[in-house]
Every structure is written in structure tokens, then in C-alpha cells.
């Protein structure tokens, strides 16, 4: 069984584009049991991954709440039309089935006064990334920069603090991927749940703003949390280049091994970013997962590998959702 921290299949379907990485029949065949399915409202300005490093991209446009709420409703309808079940609790995950955690990547669809949060919970929302890589009413994400640390701007707003508390109350998972470092420490101080980075890597191996410093990794470990390793080549490679060709599966293993060494085997999972990023050509997409597991399996026994593929995610979800 494989549980995954992030995919953007819904965005591609909403845009009328075919999936690049996450064919659901293929997913079932390789034991992909689902995970976080992002509802992501794109900025108006087209986003293109930088091809070469160094780079320092400006902030993509902010999206006003009304517009974000309208588009998120459409994205939610797209998700509901997929042949997957929605995760209301951890027990919904089952071998041979694909189970989707409804995840907001960027909290713009939530009203500043949180008046529609309960409604979203009732529709199945179980996870919120406070920000994508832009600013909103709650927090500020990291702009895409390389090489650069994640300390790029201010921490949570008052509304952001209230949102974290409300998520704790409703037992909605709060995701810190894309959040800047001050926001990260604010969440770490406020939350009573394990700290979760659904799709981020080790900054010491790839100094992108999107990756986590050793201090952040230690805080995640100490909270009982998890990092889902992101397969985006520009967050894997030491040189930050967005080159699928010539980037091997071993780059993913490099981050997994480092995180396991730093945090311990209980705090590392997968966070593919399928259909949202350029992944190593050797992996290709979901059909490459068996090869990835074979490659990293050279270093771990079956029990350790099971933690990385699904048990750690299930433990953290259970601790967060109750
Ligand atoms: Zn993302």
C-alpha cells in the first residue's frame, strides 16, 4: 500500500488536461491507495517552473477570497466526480482502493472570519495548506528562489492564528509546505497536532525556499510529525535545475535517506507532487513507484519500507483526525 502527500490531478482535470503522472487505473495496479488530493486555485499569471538556477521569481498574484471560493467549489466537484472515495477518517483507506484526502492548497477559499470552515469540513475537507507560494489573508508562502533559505517574510496574520486554532478544534490537518519559515514557527508554537509538511524536501541537499532546514526537520520530528518527500526535480537536485532528463530516481532516495538519518524512520513518507511538477524521467509517474521502492528498498527492510510507504502517514492522520 502506498499513501502519498500531494497530487494535482484535480487541477489538470479542471483545466481539461489529461493526467501526466497519475493514471488512476495504473495507480491501482501498483498499490497506490491515495492520499492528499489538492484543491489548488491558480494565480492569474501563468506559472512556469524555472529551467535553470539560480533564480528568484516574484510572488505570483494573490487570488481574492470570492474568486477562490468559486473556483474551489468547481475543483471540489471535479474531485467528487473522480472514481475515488473521499477520506472522512483513517479507516477509509483500504488496500486496492484509492482514497482521496480533500486538501486545500492555499486557504483563500476560506473566509477571513472562518465562517465557511465548518461547511467545508462537512463536505469532507480534512487538510489545509495555509498558503501556496504567495500571500493571503492568513499567511505568506515562500516565493520560488534558489539558492535561498525559507525565511522570506512575515509570519501568520491574526486570521492565520485563528485558522490554525480552528483546524485543531475541528481536527483538520494543517500543512506547512509552501509556508515561509516565520509562519512555520508560528504554526509549530500554536498547533496541538503533529507538524506535517506534505510535499517538501531537505534544504541542506537542495537549497530551495520550498525545502526544510535541519531545525525545521527537528521540530517536525519532535512533534511526532512527517515530511512527504517531493519528487519535483527542482526541489531534489543539488543544482536546483528543473531537468527531468538525467535526473535519476536515486535523487528521491538521497532525500529520503537524509530525512530518515536526521529524523528517524517514523517521520518520513512520500509526497509525490504528481501532476503538479516535473518529476525524474526515470520515474515517469505513478507506474514508476515500484522501481522507486525497489531502489530505496536496498537500504531498508520490509518493516521500515512499510513505514515510509504508508504506515507513517496513517499514524499521523490518526493522531491528527482522532
Ligand atoms: Zn505545492
Amino acid at each position: 500500500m502506498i499513501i502519498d502527500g500531494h497530487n494535482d490531478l484535480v487541477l489538470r482535470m479542471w483545466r481539461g488536461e489529461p493526467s501526466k503522472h497519475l493514471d488512476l487505473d495504473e495507480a491501482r495496479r501498483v498499490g497506490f491507495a491515495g492520499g492528499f488530493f489538492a484543491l489548488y486555485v491558480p494565480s492569474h499569471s501563468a506559472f512556469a517552473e524555472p529551467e535553470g538556477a539560480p533564480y528568484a521569481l516574484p510572488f505570483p498574484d494573490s487570488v481574492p477570497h470570492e474568486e477562490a471560493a468559486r473556483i474551489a467549489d468547481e475543483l471540489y466537484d471535479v474531485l467528487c466526480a473522480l472514481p475515488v472515495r473521499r477520506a472522512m477518517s483513517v479507516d477509509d483507506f483500504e488496500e486496492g482502493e484509492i482514497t482521496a484526502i480533500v486538501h486545500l492548497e492555499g486557504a483563500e477559499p476560506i473566509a477571513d472570519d472562518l465562517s465557511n470552515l465548518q461547511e467545508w469540513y462537512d463536505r469532507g475537507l480534512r487538510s489545509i495548506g495555509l498558503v501556496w507560494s504567495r500571500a493571503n489573508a492568513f499567511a505568506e508562502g515562500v516565493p520560488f528562489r534558489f539558492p535561498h533559505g525559507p525565511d522570506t517574510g512575515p509570519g501568520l496574520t491574526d486570521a492565520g492564528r485563528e485558522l490554525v486554532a480552528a483546524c485543531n478544534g475541528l481536527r483538520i490537518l494543517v500543512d506547512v509546505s509552501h509556508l515561509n519559515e516565520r509562519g512555520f514557527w508560528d504554526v509549530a508554537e500554536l498547533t496541538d497536532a503533529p507538524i506535517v509538511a506534505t510535499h517538501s524536501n531537505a534544504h541542506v541537499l537542495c537549497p530551495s525556499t520550498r525545502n526544510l532546514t535541519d531545525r525545521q526537520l527537528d521540530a517536525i520530528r519532535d512533534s511526532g510529525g512527517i515530511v512527504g518527500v517531493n519528487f519535483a526535480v527542482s526541489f531534489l537536485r543539488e543544482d536546483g535545475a528543473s531537468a527531468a532528463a538525467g535526473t535519476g530516481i536515486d535523487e528521491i532516495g538521497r532525500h529520503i535517506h537524509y530525512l530518515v538519518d536526521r529524523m528517524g524512520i517514523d517521520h518520513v513518507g512520500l509526497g509525490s507532487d504528481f501532476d503538479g511538477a516535473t518529476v525524474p524521467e526515470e520515474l515517469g509517474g505513478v507506474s514508476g513507484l515500484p522501481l522507486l521502492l525497489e531502489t530505496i528498498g536496498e537500504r531498508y527492510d520490509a518493516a521500515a519500507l512499510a513505514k515510509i510507504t504508508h504506515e507513517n502517514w496513517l499514524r499521523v492522520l490518526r493522531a491528527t483526525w482522532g
Side-chain angles (χ1 to χ4, degrees), residues 95-116:
E95 199 100 44
E97 297 286 342
I98 297 178
T99 303
I101 299 167
V102 182
H103 167 75
L104 281 181
E105 186 174 30
E108 287 89 346
I110 303 298
D112 302 6
D113 63 3
L114 315 185
S115 53
N116 62 346

Side-chain angles (χ1 to χ4, degrees), residues 221-244:
R221 174 199 62 213
D222 294 346
S223 77
I226 186 170
V227 176
V229 170
N230 192 320
F231 302 167
V233 289
S234 53
F235 306 147
L236 290 169
R237 290 169 59 114
E238 199 174 8
D239 65 3
S242 184

